Amino acid sequence: MITRANSPVRGWRGRIFAAVGFFFVIVFITFVLTLIITDVFYIDKKAVVTAITSNFIRHALWLSIWTSFTTTSIALLFAIPMGYTLSRFRFPGRTLVDAIVDLPIIFPPLVAGLTLLVFFSQSAMGRWIQENTGIEFVFQPKGIVLCQFVVAASFAIRSAKTAFDDVERRYENVALTLGCTPWGSFWRVSLPLASNGITAGGILTWARAFGLFGPLMIFVGSFRGRTEVLSTTIFLEQSVGNLEVALAVALVMILVALIALTIIHLVGGSTQVKL
Amino acid sequence: MIRTDRLSFRIGDFQLLQFSLEVAQGQYFVLLGPAGSGKTIFLECLCGLRKIDLGQIYIDGHEVTHLEPRARGIGYVPQDYALFPHLSVERNIVFGLRVRGYQRKDVIARVTEIVDLLEIRHLLSRRIDGLSGGERQQVALARALVLRPKVLLLDEPVCALDEATRQDICAELHRLQHQLGLTTIHVSHNLEEAFSVADKAGILGEGKLQQVGSIDELLRKPQNEFVARFMRCENIFSGEVVSPGPLPKSTTVQYAQTQLVVPGQHQGRIKFMIRPENVLLLASDRHNDPVDNKLRVKLIRVRDCGNYVRMELKGTIDLVAHLSHAAFTELKAKRQSDLVAVLRRENIHVFPT
C-alpha cells in the first residue's frame, strides 16, 4: 500500500503525478503477464508431459542451468578484481579499456559466436590452444560456457565497477589507519559495501547467459544430448512444427528463471549491505 | 609529539609548501583554515594516506615518513566519521583490534574501557544508520581511541553537528584529551571550535602555515592580513608613515584624510588593524587622552549577532565595532547617530613587514 508520506507530491497534483508512473508500470506488467498467460492457454497437457519426460529436453535443461551458473561464477571471478581496478586506479589507456569492457554489451550477440568460431577454427592461436591444452570449445559443451562468458561477463564487470565507484574511498582510508593492509581493506570494507551492485551484476550475467541463443547456434551448434540448451531446444522444436512443445520448454525457462531470480534475490537480500 | 619538517605535497594546482609544525606531547592543536586550504590533505599526509613529495614526519621522535598508515600509531577520525555502514557499532569499534589480531580478552577489556570512558555502552548493538550525528562522532572517536594511538587526528569532527551538540562534543573532546594526555590535531574552519578546545592553534592558507600561536596571539597579534581576516578582524588599513609619533615608540600614519598614532617605530608604508571589539564608542567628545586617536563617525548599520552587537560606522575612516548588549544600550545610539570612535594606540596592531 502506498502511503501519503511515501508519495513525492501531495494533493491532486501528486495523485496525477503518481498515476502517470503507475500507468506505465501497469501497462508493462500487463503486457508481460498477457504473453505468459497466452502461452499457458495455448499449450496442452500432452506437450508439457512430452517436454518434461523427454531425456533430450531434461539434458538441455540441466546443461542450461549448469553452464549459466558456471559462466556467472567465472564472470564474477573476473568482474570483482577488474571492477575494483577500473574504479580505483588511473592508468594510461584506461578509457580504451573501459570501452573494450563495454563492447560485448553493445555488439550483436551473433557477432560473438562468429568471432569465437573464426578464432578457434581459423586462427593459428585458437587452433594451438585447442590442440595443446586439450580443451576443445568448437561444437563442445565447454564452448557454451566460453560463448556465454564473452557475451555476458561485461554486465558483471560494469556492475562491479559501478558498485566500487559508489564505495567512498574514505572507508578504505580509515581501514588502512585502523590496521588493514590494502588487501584487508578490500576484503573487510570495499567488497562487503559493493556486494549489492556485484549481486545485481551477477543476476544480469546469469540471465543473459541462461537465455543465450544466437551465438551458441554458430559456435557450438545444437546437437541433441550434447550442446543443446533450452533456448536452442525451443528453436529446434519450433522449426519441426512442435509449437506446443516449444512453448512448454519456453514456460520451463520462464519458471526456472523466476525460481533462480527469487533465490538470488532472497540470498542476496539476507547478506547484502544496506547503505 | 608529532612534528613535520618542511613537508611539501602537490596535487594538481594545489600544494602544501615547506610545512613545518610541532605539536608537543599532550597538546591540543587546532589547525584552522578556510575551505579548500588543504587541511584534510595535510591530515592525510600525516596518516600516510598520501605520499608526500618532500620533508619528514616524526611521531614521538621516530621518523614515520615512509611507514604505512597502520604502522604510524595514528588515530584518525575523518570528516563525517566514515563509520562502516555494514557493521554494527560494536563491530566498528573492535574493527582495528580484530584486524591487528588482539586476543578476545584484550578486545573485551579495551572495548569496555573505551565505551565506559565515552559513555556509549548503550549504543553497542545499534546499526550505524540509526545513530544521530553526535552518536556517530562518539563511535568514530571510540574506534580510533580503542587502539591507544600516539596521536589523534580529527578532521572537522563537529562540523556536521548542530550548535548545541557541537558545544557539548567540544567540551567532551577537551575533557577526553586532557584525561588521556593525548597529542591531538583537530582541523576546522570554525573559530568557535578553536576557542573551546585549543591549547595552541595554527592558520593554514594558500598552501602555507601562516601563523602558529595561542588563540590570543592569533586574535591580537596576527602576522599578516590573511590571519587577521580569518580571525574576523575587519578594520584593516594601509597607510603612509608621516613622522615619529608624539610619544616614544609611536608613529604617526596618514590614512585617507586622517592621521593616526600607531605603536612602534615604522617607516614607509605599513598595514595595521584594530579589532572591532577594541573600538571604543562615545556619544560625545569627552575623551581626555590627547594621544589616543579620535574620529567622528556616523552609525550606519546595527546588527544583533547574539552575544554582541555589530555596528558599521562611516567617517573619514570606515570602521566596524562590536559592543556588548549592555554597552550598546548604555550608548543609546540609533541609526545616523553621530558618535566618537576612540582607537587606543595600544589596541592597534601593526603587521610585521
Side-chain angles (χ1 to χ4, degrees):
Chain A
M1 184 183 162
I2 301 160
T3 62
R4 271 177 166 274
N6 286 338
S7 54
V9 193
R10 295 183 183 189
W12 64 271
R13 285 174 204 273
R15 287 194 199 100
I16 291 174
F17 181 74
V20 170
F22 275 102
F23 169 76
F24 287 101
V25 172
I26 291 164
V27 167
F28 184 80
I29 298 296
T30 308
F31 180 62
V32 172
L33 288 178
T34 305
L35 290 177
I36 296 169
I37 290 164
T38 309
D39 289 352
V40 171
F41 280 106
Y42 187 83
I43 56 171
D44 60 15
K45 215 173 171 183
K46 204 174 138 198
V48 176
V49 172
T50 307
I52 293 170
T53 55
S54 163
N55 282 339
F56 290 126
I57 293 175
R58 272 159 51 189
H59 180 270
L61 171 65
W62 171 239
L63 196 60
S64 288
I65 290 173
W66 87 254
T67 53
S68 58
F69 277 103
T70 305
T71 300
T72 305
S73 306
I74 298 171
L76 287 176
L77 197 68
F78 276 78
I80 292 169
M82 279 183 72
Y84 188 81
T85 304
L86 291 172
S87 169
R88 288 292 188 264
F89 302 118
R90 300 286 172 267
F91 53 88
R94 184 173 165 275
T95 311
L96 183 66
V97 171
D98 234 11
I100 292 170
V101 165
D102 287 342
L103 209 53
I105 297 175
I106 310 297
F107 65 48
L110 277 175
V111 176
L114 199 61
T115 308
L116 282 169
L117 186 66
V118 168
F119 178 76
F120 283 104
S121 60
Q122 303 297 318
S123 77
M125 189 193 281
R127 282 202 301 273
W128 185 89
I129 291 171
Q130 293 203 102
E131 285 161 12
N132 291 282
T133 61
I135 306 170
E136 293 209 14
F137 292 106
V138 182
F139 303 123
Q140 297 298 325
K142 289 187 188 81
I144 299 172
V145 173
L146 183 64
C147 198
Q148 289 175 342
F149 177 81
V150 170
V151 174
S154 295
F155 291 96
I157 299 165
R158 177 58 47 206
S159 300
K161 182 192 176 291
T162 308
F164 285 120
D165 283 344
D166 289 343
V167 176
E168 290 181 43
R169 195 66 174 263
R170 61 203 179 98
Y171 292 120
E172 293 172 15
N173 285 345
V174 170
L176 292 175
T177 66
L178 290 172
C180 281
T181 59
W183 276 103
S185 82
F186 173 78
W187 285 110
R188 290 169 185 269
V189 178
S190 314
L191 191 57
L193 289 176
S195 64
N196 272 358
I198 294 170
T199 306
I203 292 171
L204 280 174
T205 306
W206 177 82
R208 179 79 159 164
F210 185 69
L212 200 65
F213 167 67
L216 292 182
M217 286 295 284
I218 294 174
F219 188 52
V220 296
S222 182
F223 299 104
R224 295 227 103 162
R226 210 172 84 199
T227 59
E228 182 189 1
V229 289
L230 283 184
S231 54
T232 49
T233 302
I234 294 171
F235 174 74
L236 290 177
E237 294 296 339
Q238 182 265 339
S239 62
V240 294
N242 291 337
L243 196 57
E244 290 86 356
V245 177
L247 273 175
V249 174
L251 284 178
V252 170
M253 280 191 85
I254 292 170
L255 195 66
V256 171
L258 204 61
I259 292 168
L261 287 178
T262 308
I263 291 170
I264 290 169
H265 275 300
L266 287 176
V267 173
S270 63
T271 58
Q272 72 194 18
V273 181
K274 271 197 158 184
L275 287 172
Chain B
M1 188 269 279
I2 184 164
R3 180 163 69 87
T4 65
D5 186 16
R6 286 172 293 164
L7 182 153
S8 296
F9 175 79
R10 176 190 282 271
I11 182 167
D13 293 335
F14 175 81
Q15 59 178 356
L16 287 174
L17 267 179
Q18 305 271 323
F19 205 108
S20 294
L21 173 70
E22 182 165 342
V23 181
Q25 178 61 42
Q27 193 172 59
Y28 200 124
F29 183 85
V30 177
L31 183 63
L32 292 160
S37 59
K39 305 182 294 291
T40 298
I41 287 178
F42 175 63
L43 286 194
E44 288 175 350
C45 288
L46 295 184
C47 287
L49 298 171
R50 292 181 186 269
K51 196 168 183 283
I52 62 172
D53 300 326
L54 285 170
Q56 286 88 37
I57 303 166
Y58 298 89
I59 292 176
D60 285 354
H62 302 290
E63 188 179 351
V64 300
T65 317
H66 304 293
L67 293 184
E68 299 229 355
R70 65 200 155 99
R72 296 190 178 205
I74 280 175
Y76 175 49
V77 179
Q79 203 172 355
D80 300 333
Y81 320 128
L83 293 169
F84 304 130
H86 61 301
L87 302 178
S88 67
V89 167
E90 183 175 8
R91 293 187 68 190
N92 262 277
I93 295 172
V94 303
F95 185 92
L97 298 171
R98 286 252 171 90
V99 166
R100 289 169 190 267
Y102 277 74
Q103 297 284 319
R104 191 176 154 74
K105 64 176 172 46
D106 294 331
V107 172
I108 293 170
R110 284 203 181 198
V111 171
T112 305
E113 181 190 42
I114 205 71
V115 298
D116 288 345
L117 186 69
L118 289 162
E119 297 169 2
I120 55 167
R121 182 172 286 278
H122 60 289
L123 300 178
L124 284 178
S125 60
R126 296 262 300 273
R127 286 179 62 94
I128 297 303
D129 53 14
L131 299 179
S132 69
E135 288 169 340
R136 281 170 191 247
Q137 201 274 345
Q138 297 287 76
V139 174
L141 200 58
R143 184 177 63 178
L145 290 178
V146 78
L147 292 169
R148 295 179 186 159
K150 294 171 190 160
V151 178
L152 181 64
L153 305 182
L154 306 169
D155 189 359
E156 307 254 13
V158 292
C159 73
L161 307 177
D162 61 79
E163 188 60 34
T165 315
R166 184 184 297 187
Q167 285 174 9
D168 290 346
I169 297 280
C170 279
E172 180 70 4
L173 282 173
H174 198 246
R175 177 187 74 83
L176 269 176
Q177 190 268 341
H178 278 271
Q179 194 172 335
L180 300 172
L182 193 58
T183 309
T184 303
I185 298 181
H186 168 146
V187 307
S188 177
H189 60 269
N190 188 313
L191 278 184
E192 273 69 28
E193 285 174 43
F195 294 156
S196 56
V197 293
D199 295 326
K200 204 171 176 184
I203 308 287
L204 178 62
E206 295 158 357
K208 285 188 286 192
L209 194 55
Q210 301 280 347
Q211 188 176 351
V212 172
S214 66
I215 292 291
D216 191 59
E217 282 171 336
L218 296 174
L219 282 169
R220 326 247 170 247
K221 307 279 180 203
Q223 289 284 317
N224 53 42
E225 190 177 340
F226 183 93
V227 175
R229 289 203 184 280
F230 189 83
M231 299 304 285
R232 295 184 195 147
C233 180
E234 294 174 90
N235 303 315
I236 298 171
F237 312 104
S238 177
E240 201 71 46
V241 170
V242 176
S243 63
L247 289 175
K249 290 189 179 171
S250 70
T251 305
T252 303
V253 182
Q254 179 81 33
Y255 175 74
Q257 277 86 51
T258 308
Q259 291 199 343
L260 297 168
V261 179
V262 303
Q265 290 168 318
H266 308 280
Q267 287 184 328
R269 194 157 188 84
I270 60 167
K271 273 193 176 178
F272 55 98
M273 57 155 257
I274 182 162
R275 291 201 61 81
E277 60 271 23
N278 289 337
V279 174
L280 180 64
L281 288 175
L282 303 171
S284 60
D285 189 0
R286 53 182 172 76
H287 189 70
N288 298 327
D289 191 339
V291 290
D292 277 338
N293 303 294
K294 285 185 280 186
L295 306 166
R296 294 198 173 278
V297 290
K298 198 179 274 294
L299 179 57
I300 301 298
R301 194 162 171 238
V302 179
R303 188 152 54 94
D304 191 339
C305 295
N307 46 4
Y308 64 90
V309 178
R310 182 179 187 278
M311 303 166 75
E312 288 177 26
L313 307 156
K314 202 161 185 61
T316 49
I317 294 178
D318 292 347
L319 288 167
V320 172
H322 293 175
L323 256 60
S324 68
H325 283 274
F328 180 71
T329 309
E330 197 180 323
L331 188 64
K332 293 176 185 159
K334 291 185 179 137
R335 267 189 76 194
Q336 302 299 323
S337 293
D338 290 313
L339 299 168
V340 174
V342 180
L343 313 181
R344 287 194 168 135
R345 63 187 180 285
E346 66 267 25
N347 287 334
I348 294 176
H349 170 68
V350 180
F351 296 122
T353 48

